[in-house]
Amino acid sequence: MLSRSRSCLAVGAVVVAFSQPMGIAGAQGTKAVINAATVPKYPPFEFKDPASGKLIGFDVEIVEAIAARIGIKVNWIDSSFDQLISSVETRRADVIVAGMADTPERRATVNFLNYLHANSVFFTLRASAERFPDMDALCGKRVATARRTLWPAAIEKWSDEHCTAAGKPAIIVIGTDGSPDTRLQLNQGRADAAVQGAETIPYQNSIEGNRYVILGKPFLVQDMGLGFARDDSQFGQKLKQALAALMADGSYQALLRKWDLNGSAIEQAMINGQP
């Protein structure tokens, strides 16, 4: 989820807080167990299995795999999205894993291990698709999106450039409490269209009878990252090395296929966009 609280670096997400110390690969200051705090409401990245209540998703599995490479274990904790950045700042958590967009503003607070590309899209109900022959048809319409994310500002920017600049009415942004609420507003007719990551739509269609259709191309493309403390470069390098190893042996690609995220693959593990 591309969140302004993510901007404040808040996941739909996962924070890893170290519990007991242990020397891993001879390094000091590493731990045996990491507490991973998440907001499990953003499939296919992190969410609860409706049948079992178990935490599942791509982010969950990639973090478990990274931890196994480092030689540590993960203890997952449900958290408030708004508290994720402050958890890192106050050392209650060490890494945020939430499908979070890596932005320059957020780098002022945390560093990022880049692990996926994120494509933000407008979408609507398939039954309403004929109302949107092109993206310009969004002008003047009500578009729902999570209010604590980067999306409201991004929608307004797109609207300024494509609607008001052309003398058309601006998009009306409807703030929601997250992606489930966004879809609820759309399904109940309170919104004409909505914005989420393109990566989430195939999963929702798989459980809701192919209900949604993406409108046009992504209007915002960014890298997603695992956030960690700016002064914890040693830990960041461990994350990067572990992810690089998963990419080299094919484990990363296998997880992408499992969660239908092939279009989101990143070319190499990077920190703040740098190899």
Side-chain angles (χ1 to χ4, degrees):
M1 206 180 294
L2 300 177
S3 140
R4 181 172 296 150
S5 300
R6 290 182 173 192
S7 238
C8 282
L9 255 173
V11 172
V14 175
V15 177
V16 178
F18 281 27
S19 52
Q20 52 183 335
M22 162 182 155
I24 297 173
Q28 294 182 347
T30 52
K31 315 295 176 181
V33 179
I34 54 176
N35 294 319
T38 182
V39 184
K41 298 179 180 180
Y42 199 53
F45 298 107
E46 48 270 328
F47 62 109
K48 296 290 182 68
D49 182 344
S52 66
K54 180 182 177 181
L55 180 66
I56 59 175
F58 176 83
D59 283 353
V60 176
E61 293 198 43
I62 197 67
V63 169
E64 291 277 3
I66 287 172
R69 285 280 179 174
I70 296 173
I72 53 182
K73 296 183 178 181
V74 183
N75 176 45
W76 296 91
I77 305 170
D78 286 3
S79 177
S80 165
F81 189 78
D82 289 346
Q83 295 300 312
L84 296 181
I85 286 190
S86 64
S87 293
V88 169
E89 290 182 296
T90 59
R91 299 298 185 180
R92 289 177 289 124
D94 288 293
V95 67
I96 298 168
V97 187
M100 188 173 293
D102 171 5
T103 68
E105 295 79 10
R106 290 171 182 163
R107 290 179 191 170
T109 307
V110 295
N111 284 334
F112 285 98
L113 171 71
N114 305 119
Y115 71 110
L116 278 178
H117 294 308
N119 302 287
S120 301
V121 294
F122 293 99
F123 69 102
T124 191
L125 299 176
R126 191 168 297 277
S128 303
E130 63 182 18
R131 297 173 54 198
F132 300 94
D134 53 42
M135 292 179 70
D136 287 348
L138 289 160
C139 297
K141 299 298 192 296
R142 299 163 299 168
V143 175
T145 199
R147 65 172 57 90
R148 297 184 181 90
T149 69
L150 299 177
W151 286 323
I155 294 169
E156 290 176 359
K157 182 176 184 294
W158 189 91
S159 177
D160 289 344
E161 295 173 351
H162 295 84
C163 299
T164 55
K168 300 176 182 179
I171 289 175
I172 302 165
V173 179
I174 298 175
T176 72
D177 290 330
S179 294
D181 186 33
T182 294
R183 295 189 297 275
L184 178 65
Q185 301 304 311
L186 183 60
N187 280 290
Q188 292 187 342
R190 297 190 182 97
D192 303 297
V195 164
Q196 282 184 198
E199 300 79 14
T200 68
I201 304 302
Y203 175 82
Q204 289 304 141
N205 275 336
S206 74
I207 63 173
E208 294 190 57
N210 207 29
R211 190 173 184 82
Y212 306 106
V213 61
I214 291 173
L215 302 175
K217 298 179 179 180
F219 71 99
L220 179 66
V221 179
Q222 294 176 296
D223 285 342
M224 292 158 64
L226 311 182
F228 60 94
R230 286 177 56 81
D231 61 356
D232 199 353
S233 60
Q234 183 183 58
F235 177 55
Q237 286 300 316
K238 285 186 173 295
L239 293 175
K240 179 181 174 182
Q241 291 164 9
L243 178 58
L246 295 173
M247 297 173 82
D249 71 11
S251 300
Y252 172 77
Q253 293 81 0
L255 285 177
L256 289 172
R257 290 192 296 272
K258 175 179 179 178
W259 292 103
D260 198 13
L261 293 170
N262 288 317
S264 298
I266 200 165
E267 293 72 25
Q268 61 180 318
M270 298 182 292
I271 292 179
N272 294 341
Q274 300 299 316

